[in-house]
Amino acid sequence: MRTIKGQETCITPNQLNLLFQSRMVWRDLSVWIRAFLETKHGGLGDPDAIREKFNELLGRITNVINLVFGEQVADRYLDFSNNFFNGLNDLVDAQILGDTEAVDELAQQLHKNSQQAADFFAEINPYWSRSKWRDFFYQYTQNAIDESTTFLEERVMDNIDMFDKILLLSSQMGEHYAQGIFDYLRSSSRTIV
């Protein structure tokens, strides 16, 4: 048993695993988004297989949200995630075609989706900071766009630096996400078995 701010809190092994997986999935998503971008820009690999892996990871996140917040909430999260992936796919296609007008429009749509996702997260869990999620999702979206640009322009060192930034950010996102779930479960006395 662990004491936190005067409260006794017991974490089951399943809850501990859920929190660990919740942290790691954000980093995993970043790795597979990078693989997707490499495939789109380099023409190597199978984008459908990578999309399948991305969907598997989304399923892990959605499962956690479903367990903690319910199926309708999980479905809404899935919509935001699919909008991000599809929007990023379209943006990369526009970059490759050199359609700067479409790139700008798609970037705006991606940022709008990320702000809506941040607002959604803050609405479902009082332990998640709206401003933090807005900042996280804005940075993540912009970094994904910038990472795609470095692939397109074959700026190898900038690409490596960008990926480092994305990994750091995804770790911070995972930490905030897992901490919010922990605090929510602790305050609601819900048990995940």
Side-chain angles (χ1 to χ4, degrees):
M1 197 145 327
R2 183 174 150 206
T3 302
I4 299 174
K5 296 183 185 174
Q7 296 180 358
E8 288 186 6
T9 303
C10 183
I11 300 174
T12 68
N14 286 344
Q15 287 174 325
L16 187 60
N17 184 50
L18 176 118
L19 293 171
F20 177 76
Q21 291 301 321
S22 294
R23 286 185 72 225
M24 295 307 298
V25 74
W26 293 93
R27 193 171 177 95
D28 292 348
L29 283 171
S30 296
V31 169
W32 286 102
I33 287 172
R34 179 177 179 80
F36 171 75
L37 292 173
E38 288 174 327
T39 299
K40 292 287 284 189
H41 286 287
L44 300 174
D46 182 354
D48 292 333
I50 292 171
R51 177 64 194 240
E52 188 175 314
K53 184 64 176 178
F54 181 81
N55 287 340
E56 176 188 314
L57 291 168
L58 279 183
R60 286 177 28 205
I61 294 175
T62 304
N63 185 46
V64 170
I65 292 173
N66 185 27
L67 285 170
V68 177
F69 303 107
E71 187 175 348
Q72 287 181 322
V73 171
D75 288 345
R76 279 191 64 206
Y77 171 76
L78 193 57
D79 289 341
F80 288 118
S81 297
N82 282 320
N83 289 343
F84 173 78
F85 191 88
N86 293 333
L88 185 61
N89 181 57
D90 293 345
L91 184 137
V92 172
D93 287 343
Q95 284 182 320
I96 292 168
L97 293 172
D99 187 346
T100 56
E101 188 175 307
V103 169
D104 292 343
E105 182 180 321
L106 289 161
Q108 286 178 356
Q109 289 174 11
L110 282 167
H111 283 298
K112 181 179 179 183
N113 182 68
S114 71
Q115 296 309 296
Q116 290 171 339
D119 292 344
F120 167 71
F121 266 29
E123 288 168 15
I124 64 171
N125 187 348
Y127 298 99
W128 282 334
S129 163
R130 178 182 314 271
S131 62
K132 252 190 185 169
W133 278 117
R134 279 183 166 244
D135 186 48
F136 283 152
F137 283 147
Y138 179 86
Q139 286 184 58
Y140 195 87
T141 298
Q142 190 59 52
N143 287 346
I145 293 167
D146 292 345
E147 184 178 31
S148 179
T149 302
T150 63
F151 275 119
L152 179 71
E153 297 173 354
E154 298 179 1
R155 296 184 349 243
V156 176
M157 292 310 297
D158 290 339
N159 183 274
I160 291 168
D161 291 342
M162 183 55 58
F163 188 55
D164 279 343
K165 283 176 63 175
I166 290 170
L167 288 178
L168 176 61
L169 180 63
S170 65
S171 293
Q172 293 167 344
M173 292 168 74
E175 180 64 32
H176 187 65
Y177 179 80
Q179 185 65 50
I181 288 177
F182 173 76
D183 292 341
Y184 183 86
L185 290 172
R186 185 175 52 132
S187 73
S188 68
S189 300
R190 287 192 64 184
T191 302
I192 305 294
V193 290

